[in-house]
Amino acid sequence: MPAFIWTDVTEVFRKTTRAMVQVLGGDLGAAWQLAPEGDRIFPLAGCHVPKDLLGKFGSVSLAEMQLLVEEASCPEGPICSNDVENDPRFANHPWARLIALKSVIVAPLIIKGKSFGGFIIAWTRGRHRVTDEEIQLVEGMAQTAAIAVENAQLLQELKTRQSRLEKLLEASRELSPIQSVGSLPGQIAEACGRLLDSNSVGLHLVEGEKLVVSGTWGDVRETMPTPRIKIGQSLTGIVAAAGEPLIAPDLAAADRLLPEQREAVRRLGHRAWLGVPVKVGERLVGVLSVRTRGERGLGPEDLAIATAFASQAAIALENARLFQEAQHALADLKAAQEQLIQSATMRALGELAAGMAHHLNNLLAIMLGRLRLLLSSAESAAIRRPLTIVERAAMDATEVVRRLSRFARVQPTEEWQPVNLRELATEVLEMMRPRWQDAAQAQGIRIEAIVEGREVPTVVGNAVSLREVLINLVLNAVDALPAGGRIVIRTFGEHGWACLAVSDTGVGMSDAVRERAAEPFFTTKGPKATGLGLSASYGVLQRHGGELRIESAEGQGTTVTIRLPIRSIPPWPSPSR
Ligand code: ADP
Ligand code: MG
């Protein structure tokens, strides 16, 4: 049975036919429905129709049934014949050839002014005189049947609509949990495809002046020659530009298609196209586009469903965006907090160190003064030797204190001047050659050190402090190369920053060491080291409005990168002296 015939409708036809035959005392009755194209009829019900005739009605084309088509399809009302055998209208009628009819009433079933099907009541054993009352009766019964059919259709429509609303509800339930943007566009396209029974759905999202394919379902990618289109371009772009939905009932004929799109549409057999804007309030965030195939077109109801779904999708997308923003904000906050803690710790330590350095300096000055006096008066080598050792230790202590006080210098006390990082690097490597080349050679190892990379814009800074930073970094690199290796200083630019990276192929750091490396006094080198190299460098960079970043892994070498803002004025005025 063809798909457009609903069981409930068949029941209406069957009952009406039987009632007509009974009430009029006819010998047989039959009912049929017109095919939607209007060129064929399908038998729906029969009453006392001989079994061998049952199938034959359906095989008759309407062209052969002029009378029924022209008169019963769109007539003023029922037509009848009291004497079919002598009625020229029926003389050559195919039904009359199939069965010997004596009298007949044919009544159309009209729905919304159009013929939907009809009934025939026939007398075969003897002639019957059809009265006006009988005609009226048949007409009335056909009208009642029409109402019942209409109701059955409405019921069917309601059922379809209800199931679609249920699907819509389910789709929005699927999209409602807050999630990151990631797979959401694809999920939206899929849910929309399931909802509208389409296996070709695309979701474009707005990015500046463009629409970018962000989620797809089914074969839709084949119809999209480029991943991004301009707003206003192609059908999707028109929907975006107008902010209004659009239906193209015959996609292959739509004049806004690109030639390769048209080719794909033909190849894939797409028929209708529907696009709806996805909006958050008045702001357009994207366009959902749906395609159908074969018989299935797209109508106002699909549009209503797609629009409802698009607003759900918009909410899901907006939630995802807000979620992502919140996460970024949280990460920024955490970083800022860490920075704050770091700089507060540094300042406190700086003050502590400044105080300490001051006192120690005074004490050391006294010790050294006395020592030197003693040394100048001591004659016995047995006394001079230990005194010399004490003197050297005291001088080392002075050096530690000097470094401490330098670290403690939270406020700059030096002049600001233009500094060329590349030149500075070359100069430092040259100056430290005895340390990295000669000393290494003396220990039978080989260290190679070079400057590479491009010229970077001049920064404003304090050359002395920056040179110390570089010295610290190179010293650390040398320390990390007990078996020799390579040190590379690379300079490069990066959006408003001049950068310099010191890399070594040395022992590297564990995560735990890397995290603490810039802490003041943190060292893994035992008592001879101060643990102030990186923290002091960190302080210098902070005073310059720059940054210091350490990348390292155990056994994989280390890269310490410093970044300085490219600007022509110092971060604060030089202090007056
Ligand atoms: P110090 O050199 O006096 O130990 P720093 O502040 O310069 O102090 O460095 C702190 C710690 O960070 C070092 O003890 C070492 O463990 C680690 N470190 C620094 N630079 C490097 C490097 N290039 N390779 C491996 N470890 C390093
Ligand atoms: Mg160091």
Side-chain angles (χ1 to χ4, degrees):
M1 198 173 278
F4 62 89
I5 300 170
W6 300 287
T7 3
D8 299 356
V9 174
T10 316
E11 197 54 31
V12 171
F13 276 89
R14 186 174 304 133
K15 288 207 167 119
T16 310
T17 313
R18 187 164 307 143
M20 283 178 176
V21 172
Q22 268 169 11
V23 171
L24 298 180
D27 293 322
L28 62 88
W32 67 90
Q33 189 185 342
L34 275 167
E37 293 76 25
D39 63 342
R40 290 200 78 77
I41 63 165
F42 293 94
L44 276 190
C47 176
H48 305 318
V49 178
K51 284 229 156 46
D52 58 319
L53 282 184
L54 270 176
K56 293 194 178 153
F57 286 105
S59 64
V60 178
S61 87
L62 283 190
E64 288 180 84
M65 304 203 7
Q66 281 303 325
L67 181 92
L68 284 177
V69 179
E70 280 167 19
E71 302 201 18
S73 289
C74 211
E76 315 293 41
I79 50 162
C80 63
S81 174
N82 292 335
D83 184 2
V84 173
E85 284 153 322
N86 296 311
D87 189 330
R89 292 179 302 171
F90 285 92
N92 281 318
H93 195 274
W95 283 8
R97 287 205 302 271
L98 289 174
I99 181 167
L101 299 173
K102 299 259 190 308
S103 304
V104 65
I105 304 181
V106 178
L109 189 144
I110 312 287
I111 291 179
K112 293 195 187 107
K114 273 176 71 183
S115 176
F116 184 82
F119 301 94
I120 178 167
I121 312 299
W123 286 262
T124 51
R125 288 174 293 182
R127 280 204 286 277
H128 174 80
R129 248 192 68 77
V130 180
T131 65
D132 282 353
E133 286 75 34
E134 283 174 341
I135 299 251
Q136 271 168 16
L137 193 65
V138 167
E139 198 170 11
M141 287 171 98
Q143 269 164 13
T144 311
I147 292 168
V149 167
E150 245 179 303
N151 286 344
Q153 280 178 332
L154 278 177
L155 189 71
Q156 186 65 34
E157 250 170 56
L158 278 177
K159 275 189 190 156
T160 319
R161 198 168 298 166
Q162 190 189 356
S163 93
R164 286 183 129 190
L165 285 177
E166 274 165 11
K167 276 198 208 166
L168 177 65
L169 209 63
E170 194 186 309
S172 49
R173 224 178 280 133
E174 253 171 49
L175 296 183
S176 53
I178 292 181
Q179 50 186 312
S180 61
V181 180
S183 60
L184 186 59
Q187 229 176 305
I188 289 175
E190 176 177 347
C192 182
R194 293 194 193 287
L195 183 65
L196 289 174
D197 205 9
S198 158
N199 55 6
S200 189
V201 179
L203 172 64
H204 282 79
L205 290 182
V206 176
E207 262 180 34
E209 293 295 297
K210 301 259 170 147
L211 290 165
V212 183
V213 186
S214 307
T216 57
W217 170 242
D219 58 18
V220 75
R221 255 190 215 282
E222 293 181 50
T223 68
M224 297 176 174
T226 53
R228 50 188 70 221
I229 52 172
K230 281 205 209 89
I231 290 181
Q233 188 191 354
S234 172
L235 288 171
T236 303
I238 294 177
V239 171
E244 298 289 338
L246 183 73
I247 291 186
D250 183 3
L251 183 56
D255 57 357
R256 287 295 191 120
L257 289 192
L258 304 170
E260 55 265 52
Q261 268 180 314
R262 202 180 303 283
E263 197 277 317
V265 164
R266 292 233 170 82
R267 179 161 39 81
L268 299 169
H270 287 167
R271 179 175 165 204
W273 184 95
L274 164 86
V276 283
V278 180
K279 286 182 180 172
V280 175
E282 280 307 296
R283 186 166 51 89
L284 180 86
V285 295
V287 174
L288 254 172
S289 55
V290 178
R291 294 140 197 84
T292 58
R293 263 182 235 272
E295 290 288 297
R296 163 126 166 76
L298 286 162
E301 203 189 316
D302 298 291
L303 194 126
I305 297 256
T307 306
F309 176 78
S311 52
Q312 285 294 330
I315 292 169
L317 284 166
E318 181 65 359
N319 282 345
R321 192 183 64 80
L322 291 174
F323 178 67
Q324 204 164 39
E325 250 174 36
Q327 288 211 312
H328 284 164
L330 195 67
D332 285 353
L333 196 67
K334 265 195 190 150
Q337 229 166 19
E338 268 163 28
Q339 189 89 24
L340 209 63
I341 291 168
Q342 178 91 331
S343 59
T345 319
M346 297 293 266
R347 190 166 319 115
L349 278 163
E351 280 161 17
L352 189 77
M356 252 171 71
H358 182 74
H359 284 295
L360 287 177
N361 238 349
N362 290 346
L363 296 174
L364 283 168
I366 296 170
M367 282 165 68
L368 271 171
R370 292 295 156 121
L371 262 173
R372 280 171 187 156
L373 267 179
L374 275 177
L375 264 173
S376 65
S377 56
E379 274 157 21
S380 135
I383 295 178
R384 282 187 68 89
R385 254 180 56 100
L387 279 182
T388 320
I389 294 172
V390 173
E391 188 200 18
R392 198 178 312 136
M395 274 162 54
D396 282 354
T398 317
E399 171 60 20
V400 170
V401 170
R402 194 182 64 82
R403 286 206 207 163
L404 245 180
S405 62
R406 203 184 304 141
F407 161 73
R409 226 168 22 217
V410 178
Q411 289 300 313
T413 54
E414 312 98 339
E415 298 284 341
W416 294 89
Q417 67 253 98
V419 178
N420 181 315
L421 284 183
R422 218 181 130 82
E423 276 171 18
L424 195 71
T426 315
E427 184 190 307
V428 165
L429 271 196
E430 208 39 56
M431 192 177 85
M432 294 178 70
R433 190 176 286 279
R435 183 74 180 78
W436 59 264
Q437 194 173 54
D438 308 345
Q441 246 162 24
Q443 288 167 36
I445 57 170
R446 213 177 115 73
I447 293 179
E448 206 187 329
I450 57 157
V451 177
E452 64 170 38
R454 52 184 71 221
E455 207 45 77
V456 281
T458 313
V459 294
V460 173
N462 180 259
V464 179
S465 313
L466 290 174
R467 183 179 299 119
E468 255 170 55
V469 169
L470 269 187
I471 293 174
N472 278 326
L473 298 184
V474 173
L475 282 177
N476 281 348
V478 173
D479 287 344
L481 292 166
R486 203 172 142 81
I487 301 171
V488 176
I489 306 184
R490 193 168 70 86
T491 50
F492 56 98
E494 210 178 68
H495 311 298
W497 297 90
C499 308
L500 178 150
V502 180
S503 305
D504 64 66
T505 54
V507 293
M509 296 177 227
S510 65
D511 287 349
V513 170
R514 194 192 58 238
E515 275 159 26
R516 298 195 57 194
E519 265 176 35
F521 308 112
F522 175 82
T523 179
T524 55
K525 298 174 188 167
K528 74 172 169 50
T530 60
L532 285 175
L534 285 177
S535 60
S537 304
Y538 180 92
V540 169
L541 281 156
Q542 227 182 14
R543 296 206 300 271
H544 281 76
E547 287 170 3
L548 181 146
R549 194 175 63 228
I550 305 171
E551 288 156 287
S552 184
E554 231 162 343
Q556 311 266 306
T558 300
T559 297
V560 180
T561 308
I562 63 171
R563 311 208 298 165
L564 288 157
I566 298 170
R567 58 182 157 204
S568 49
I569 47 161
W572 52 69
S574 297
S576 47
R577 281 199 250 191

